[in-house]
Amino acid sequence: CGDVGFGKTEVAMRAAFVAVNDGKQVAILVPTTLLAQQHYENFRDRFANWPVSIEVLSRFKTTKEQNAVIKEVESGQIDILIGTHKLLQNSIKYKDLGLLIVDEEHRFGVKQKEKIKQLRSNVDILTLTATPIPRTLNMAMGGMRDLSIIATPPAKRLAVKTFVRERDDALIRESILREILRGGQVYFLHNNVDTIDKTAADIQALLPEAKIVTAHGQMRERELERIMSDFYHQRYNVLVCTTIIETGIDVPSANTIIMDRADHLGLAQLHQLRGRVGRGAEQSYCILMTSHKLSNDSKTRLETMVKTN
């Protein structure tokens, strides 16, 4: 258990290396396709100098490609397999699975966890989470699970400065412009697919100089993959998106996040989304924009976010 960006993936990589070195296969279970893709690229880079074969199973692959991967897993040609809940399908038979890594454990339901339990008798399981669910904590307190906490932030890490403001065009323009002028990138979170294109057009009108692109979960796989890759390589400097970026997306040059209607998001969501920025050594900013009428619950959530900077 460790806060967003504190190095849980690093622990997972080292654990995977130990398992593969002992001739075992490793399965890495993640909640979203985008995160599977990003882990795949990170693991491939990291293991580039080692004879380790790594594959990914997600909706970015065609059925034919997926079947080929499943065959290779069965024959033991693949050492590390990364994927979404597809990894738990009965059709996948591992030759010699030694370690299962579950990233963002709180995003999986009881059904999937029961499936994981069936593997448990002869497989080591490492679960990673920034916001542990009560059931996990309870099991840790009861001694059924070992719990270790990464409490030290990486060197040179600065806390994200968080502000709560009423929605205001001048504020949006100023915040985005400040980030672009220092060579950074901005996430603008608008969690409504129906109006996301209009929102992007409004921001473009406010900031003609910005290079804006939208991303949401209803897009075609290849298109979404291309957009995220382009944003990562700084071909765009503003990403108008839904909560699809909530888990694990790591873009070091994105250091401002503006959340539209932040009062509609839950505390764990706000915490995860804020963790998308401030992953480098730059000072980063999180602006929570609200409507003028707030419920007491929303107020408390937003105040908590400002206090837990």
Side-chain angles (χ1 to χ4, degrees):
C1 175
D3 209 342
V4 181
F6 272 32
K8 296 187 293 294
T9 310
E10 178 62 33
V11 174
M13 282 181 174
R14 292 177 186 215
F17 180 77
V18 171
V20 170
N21 222 10
D22 286 344
K24 296 282 187 185
Q25 286 176 306
V26 179
I28 302 170
L29 182 63
V30 297
T32 65
T33 317
L34 280 181
L35 186 53
Q37 205 57 31
Q38 184 145 20
H39 270 343
Y40 174 57
E41 283 160 21
N42 288 344
F43 270 76
R44 262 205 356 209
D45 289 350
R46 192 62 181 278
F47 285 80
N49 298 333
W50 297 89
V52 176
S53 87
I54 302 168
E55 262 306 340
V56 64
L57 258 193
S58 74
R59 65 187 175 112
F60 286 152
K61 275 195 169 2
T62 63
T63 313
K64 191 179 170 189
E65 287 171 332
Q66 287 185 25
N67 291 337
V69 168
I70 292 169
K71 275 205 178 85
E72 288 178 359
V73 169
E74 281 179 32
S75 64
Q77 288 166 269
I78 290 174
D79 300 309
I80 300 177
L81 182 63
I82 302 166
T84 52
H85 53 274
K86 277 184 166 56
L87 293 195
L88 298 173
Q89 285 172 358
N90 293 329
S91 58
I92 300 181
K93 304 274 186 288
Y94 296 92
K95 189 179 182 200
D96 188 7
L97 185 63
L99 174 66
L100 171 69
I101 297 170
V102 185
D103 200 2
E104 304 290 351
E105 185 227 20
H106 57 280
R107 295 289 299 274
F108 292 98
V110 172
K111 211 172 175 182
Q112 284 130 337
K113 293 207 178 124
E114 287 308 312
K115 194 87 213 260
I116 293 168
K117 263 192 198 157
Q118 291 166 20
L119 296 168
R120 181 144 242 155
S121 56
N122 54 357
V123 174
D124 289 328
I125 297 183
L126 169 65
T127 52
L128 314 170
T129 182
T131 45
I133 53 176
R135 187 168 167 227
T136 306
L137 283 174
N138 190 19
M139 286 165 97
M141 300 302 178
M144 290 159 73
R145 270 192 180 185
D146 290 330
L147 175 76
S148 60
I149 295 171
I150 305 176
T152 317
K156 297 185 183 167
R157 170 68 53 91
L158 298 168
V160 180
K161 287 191 174 169
T162 309
F163 307 96
V164 178
R165 297 283 185 271
E166 245 182 70
R167 193 189 161 120
D168 169 30
D169 284 352
L171 172 71
I172 294 172
R173 181 179 159 78
E174 183 200 335
S175 310
I176 295 177
L177 206 53
R178 184 183 57 214
E179 188 58 61
I180 291 174
L181 289 174
R182 66 171 184 172
Q185 291 168 288
V186 180
Y187 293 114
F188 188 95
L189 187 103
H190 179 84
N191 203 23
N192 184 340
V193 176
D194 296 337
T195 52
I196 195 165
D197 289 329
K198 183 187 179 303
T199 305
D202 292 347
I203 296 171
Q204 189 71 77
L206 271 178
L207 286 139
E209 60 271 57
K211 295 198 278 286
I212 297 172
V213 69
T214 55
H216 56 78
Q218 289 178 22
M219 283 181 160
R220 307 237 329 258
E221 290 81 3
R222 297 280 177 221
E223 190 185 358
L224 186 57
E225 189 181 5
R226 181 185 57 77
I227 286 168
M228 293 312 292
S229 171
D230 283 352
F231 186 67
Y232 183 80
H233 292 110
Q234 300 190 12
R235 292 182 193 113
Y236 298 102
N237 45 27
V238 180
L239 180 70
V240 181
C241 53
T242 59
T243 51
I244 190 166
I245 60 153
E246 186 183 338
T247 43
I249 304 299
D250 189 3
V251 182
S253 53
N255 282 310
T256 295
I257 184 165
I258 302 170
M259 299 190 214
D260 199 4
R261 296 310 302 269
D263 44 310
H264 286 191
L265 299 165
L267 191 57
Q269 261 184 327
L270 289 166
H271 184 75
Q272 285 284 355
L273 288 161
R274 180 172 67 184
R276 294 311 109 223
V277 296
R279 299 177 84 94
E282 295 280 336
Q283 176 62 62
S284 53
Y285 302 92
C286 168
I287 296 152
L288 306 171
M289 291 197 306
T290 64
S291 59
H292 54 282
K293 283 185 180 171
L294 286 182
S295 69
N296 287 338
D297 279 357
S298 299
K299 268 189 189 144
T300 313
R301 275 201 301 273
L302 297 171
E303 281 164 13
T304 306
M305 285 296 289
V306 175
K307 280 180 197 154
T308 57
N309 245 0

